[in-house]
Amino acid sequence: MSATASSSDDDLQSRAQQSPLASQRENQGTHPTEANRRGRMGGHFPLGYKDGFNQWWANVPAAIAEHTVLSHIPYLKQPPTHTQTGSKPPSVEGPAMPISDSNLKKASPVTTNSEMDPHGPREWHSNLVKLSGKNRALNEFSVERIGEEIDQNLVMLHGYGAGLGFFYKNFEGLSRVKGWKIYALDLLGMGRSSRPPFKIHAKDRQASITEAENWFIDALEEWRTEKKIDRFTLLGHSLGGYMAVAYALKYPGHLNKLILASPVGIPEDPYAVNAEMPDPSDTTLGNEFTQDQTETMNGTNPQIPESGKTGNDNNNFFNQRSKSQTASTKSGSSTPPPPPAPRKPLPKWLTYLWDANFSPFSFVRWSGPLGPRFVSGWTSRRFSHLPPEEAQALHTYSYSLFKQRGSGEYALAYILAPGAFARSPLIRRIQGVGRQMIALDGSKTSSVETASSRSVRREHGIPIVMMYGENDWMDIAGGYAAEEKLKEEKERVLRDASREEREAEGGSAKVFVIKKAGHHLYLDGADEFNEVMREEMEDVRRREGGGKGVDGAV
């Protein structure tokens, strides 16, 4: 493990034995706090001015913050952490997230043996994978089982503005499956990946959308070739799910399964600008700052049936869906919920800032010593259900990423319209996943060519799994609509298929609901999420003829 990261982490741990956010949440239940005395705004941002200033002054580098989060992975006390990026606080001058080539900044693998790790031995890696061009590299964290042949790979992509550290509750559980190597990547321009300047050169609307998507998925494809991985299972959360679909469409033939965890961008929005808006008391902008995750996970919502009364996730600025849509949501159910109620136009100031490509993280960067306090308005509630040490680590990690100079975050306005609906909805194109014509050299060909051509072959479909939290703000109706569209496309393809094509058919679609979870279902319902994922991973091995088994099972 990097000595730099280790010593810095020790300093951080010694300075952060007492979690300011945790202590303030505890005090709020016993006596009035400074935040309470300041009134409503103080309640929105619970981190005090002094604690916020101290965190801003400490300026914890992103590498140390990531290391601290990953140290909460079970059985992994000292995770490997390269310091080729994020070893220093962001600077005003020079490249954003500069890359170091020093061997001293690289991290050696860490092994957990069977004595300390009941599901081991396992080997953990932290790498920076360089790509072509200037200042292009992806931050990678991986784990593999030792003494087994690795014949399957899982790649995990995080959501907007986040980082691979958010998957810290999933690495250990998913790496129990035999024969798999687990990779988590920071998207280009986010997390601790390099942050080259983001600029769109296209002039028309559709070309701009495509160029913004390509900025991320071209980097993913180059990473795949650098790692010499032919086929893999791709898991994407939120914006990562959107990019996973875009990748599958542009680079067919490399996925054996696609898993979308609360993906953004599936449904079309007929009301985004022209319909009614909720009353001020119901706006998610208010709920984003006032609802505590612990309370919402155990609260009561009269619009959800008794069997599903486990809370309500409104931890997103752009939640515009009707909460009544969850009423028909049950684990494994395929019953589509009712359509959303009409909405009024979004505020003009919001659409102006959105179309001007104003990043929400700019507030954090411009606010200086107030930055940690502003971030606490989200983290203190988003992670309130976690143990204090983990919640504090995720707060520090989030702030360390949000304060970095902008890069990939500026793609959002090109991909999503105001209100967080896709400018090019996936529901229009998801049926093409796994149905492309591929040349023998692996490149995508014109759909006009026929499968009988000796130079091309047709994909025979891949399994697509969509998962949502029981109280997800993301519109699960989009998932059900996508499931239906994928099944219709399969029926159409098989209608005139030959016997060989029917036998080769591998397409399927299904929707899962993770109980007591919101949008961050991999974190809110980690145990059930991991269980579903392990079943899907074993399904891949069965399909590919690689046997099965979680550690301890045959």
Side-chain angles (χ1 to χ4, degrees):
M1 186 188 72
S2 168
T4 304
S6 179
S7 60
S8 301
D9 183 56
D10 291 340
D11 293 339
L12 176 63
Q13 300 256 12
S14 65
R15 295 199 305 268
Q17 293 297 315
Q18 179 72 16
S19 166
L21 293 175
S23 62
Q24 288 187 28
R25 285 201 304 270
E26 182 177 333
N27 291 336
Q28 285 174 356
T30 55
H31 56 79
T33 64
E34 179 186 0
N36 291 336
R37 289 192 294 270
R38 283 194 300 268
R40 185 175 180 181
M41 291 306 294
H44 286 331
F45 307 107
L47 187 65
Y49 288 107
K50 181 179 179 181
D51 290 326
F53 178 85
N54 289 339
Q55 185 178 357
W56 171 78
W57 183 259
N59 213 1
V60 175
I64 297 177
E66 177 189 286
H67 177 82
T68 305
V69 170
L70 297 181
S71 68
H72 290 285
I73 297 175
Y75 317 119
L76 183 65
K77 301 301 182 182
Q78 290 293 325
T81 307
H82 77 79
T83 54
Q84 292 178 268
T85 58
S87 61
K88 297 180 180 179
S91 61
V92 177
E93 299 179 354
M97 198 66 76
I99 300 173
S100 171
D101 292 323
S102 171
N103 288 331
L104 297 177
K105 300 284 188 178
K106 297 180 180 180
S108 300
V110 171
T111 300
T112 53
N113 57 44
S114 54
E115 293 181 359
M116 60 186 294
D117 180 357
H119 301 285
R122 291 181 275 198
E123 192 168 76
W124 310 75
H125 300 257
S126 173
N127 298 305
L128 186 71
V129 181
K130 290 189 176 182
L131 309 177
S132 62
K134 185 178 180 181
N135 195 33
R136 295 179 73 248
L138 295 186
N139 183 35
E140 167 197 296
F141 186 80
S142 64
V143 54
E144 61 183 299
R145 300 175 59 80
I146 300 176
E148 299 176 3
E149 180 182 357
I150 303 298
D151 54 11
Q152 298 294 339
N153 298 279
L154 172 67
V155 178
M156 307 165 69
L157 303 179
H158 60 77
Y160 177 70
L164 59 80
F166 278 55
F167 292 120
Y168 78 102
K169 282 186 174 292
N170 312 115
F171 293 120
E172 190 281 321
L174 300 186
S175 59
R176 296 179 188 181
V177 186
K178 295 182 178 180
W180 283 77
K181 184 169 184 176
I182 314 299
Y183 293 93
L185 303 176
D186 282 339
L187 294 171
L188 184 65
M190 296 184 186
R192 279 210 302 139
S193 289
S194 65
R195 296 182 174 232
F198 180 86
K199 186 176 181 180
I200 295 296
H201 301 88
K203 302 301 181 182
D204 65 272
R205 179 178 180 277
Q206 185 56 50
S208 296
I209 297 171
T210 301
E211 187 175 348
E213 293 175 355
N214 289 345
W215 202 79
F216 296 101
I217 63 178
D218 288 352
L220 175 59
E221 172 63 6
E222 190 172 350
W223 172 87
R224 181 194 67 80
T225 58
E226 284 289 328
K227 303 297 289 189
K228 295 180 173 56
I229 297 174
D230 182 27
R231 289 171 61 80
F232 61 100
T233 294
L234 182 57
L235 163 66
H237 171 252
S238 197
L239 182 66
Y242 178 99
M243 292 302 166
V245 174
Y247 174 85
L249 291 170
K250 184 175 182 180
Y251 296 105
H254 297 298
L255 299 185
N256 46 37
K257 180 172 284 191
L258 178 62
I259 304 176
L260 309 176
S262 191
V264 73
I266 289 184
E268 294 192 59
D269 176 34
Y271 309 114
V273 183
N274 300 318
E276 296 190 4
M277 194 171 183
D279 293 331
S281 61
D282 292 330
T283 61
T284 50
L285 183 59
N287 286 331
E288 173 73 14
F289 290 103
T290 59
Q291 287 194 318
D292 188 283
Q293 187 67 8
T294 302
E295 295 174 357
T296 57
M297 289 181 69
N298 298 286
T300 299
N301 185 341
Q303 294 177 306
I304 299 177
E306 291 298 326
S307 60
K309 286 185 178 179
T310 54
N312 175 28
D313 181 5
N314 291 287
N315 283 294
N316 188 281
F317 287 103
F318 310 112
N319 178 7
Q320 298 292 339
R321 69 188 277 267
S322 168
K323 298 177 183 63
S324 63
Q325 290 180 21
T326 57
S328 62
T329 300
K330 296 182 180 179
S331 183
S333 171
S334 295
T335 304
R343 297 185 298 275
K344 291 180 180 178
L346 296 171
K348 290 184 178 180
W349 63 266
L350 177 59
T351 57
Y352 173 80
L353 291 176
W354 192 290
D355 291 335
N357 209 358
F358 184 86
S359 165
F361 304 122
S362 297
F363 285 113
V364 176
R365 292 190 285 266
W366 294 348
S367 60
L370 294 177
R373 190 163 184 262
F374 287 159
V375 173
S376 76
W378 179 68
T379 59
S380 66
R381 293 165 174 81
R382 173 59 263 181
F383 307 128
S384 62
H385 62 298
L386 297 173
E389 296 79 8
E390 296 180 29
Q392 178 64 32
L394 284 167
H395 167 76
T396 303
Y397 178 56
S398 298
Y399 175 62
S400 75
L401 299 183
F402 295 171
K403 70 182 180 180
Q404 300 294 327
R405 287 169 59 186
S407 177
E409 67 196 61
Y410 295 120
L412 190 68
Y414 292 96
I415 294 168
L416 304 180
F421 285 88
R423 297 187 185 276
S424 178
L426 298 180
I427 193 64
R428 298 179 180 177
R429 43 189 174 138
I430 195 170
Q431 72 277 9
V433 173
R435 304 293 178 185
Q436 308 275 12
M437 299 296 297
I438 308 175
L440 295 182
D441 61 2
S443 62
K444 179 179 173 181
T445 68
S446 170
S447 59
V448 181
E449 298 185 65
T450 64
S452 60
S453 171
R454 293 182 179 180
S455 61
V456 300
R457 63 179 176 87
R458 181 187 295 277
E459 288 185 291
H460 296 291
I462 62 172
I464 300 178
V465 179
M466 290 162 281
M467 288 194 279
Y468 294 84
E470 184 176 32
N471 303 296
D472 206 322
W473 66 265
M474 196 66 72
D475 191 356
I476 193 174
Y480 289 122
E483 178 188 27
E484 185 65 24
K485 198 161 190 177
L486 288 161
K487 290 180 177 179
E488 290 175 354
E489 179 66 13
K490 179 178 179 178
E491 292 177 2
R492 187 193 67 80
V493 169
L494 293 180
R495 196 172 298 137
D496 301 316
S498 65
R499 187 183 60 157
E500 289 78 10
E501 290 172 333
R502 288 178 177 273
E503 292 176 351
E505 174 60 34
S508 65
K510 56 185 173 182
V511 177
F512 280 103
V513 177
I514 303 300
K515 297 178 181 178
K516 297 186 179 182
H519 180 54
H520 294 264
L521 60 163
Y522 60 91
L523 188 61
D524 300 339
D527 290 341
E528 184 179 354
F529 179 87
N530 291 342
E531 182 179 351
V532 171
M533 282 295 303
R534 286 193 293 264
E535 292 174 356
E536 294 302 322
M537 293 162 69
E538 291 175 2
D539 174 70
V540 170
R541 297 201 72 202
R542 287 193 295 268
R543 288 170 178 263
E544 306 265 325
K548 61 171 288 186
V550 177
D551 179 59
V554 179

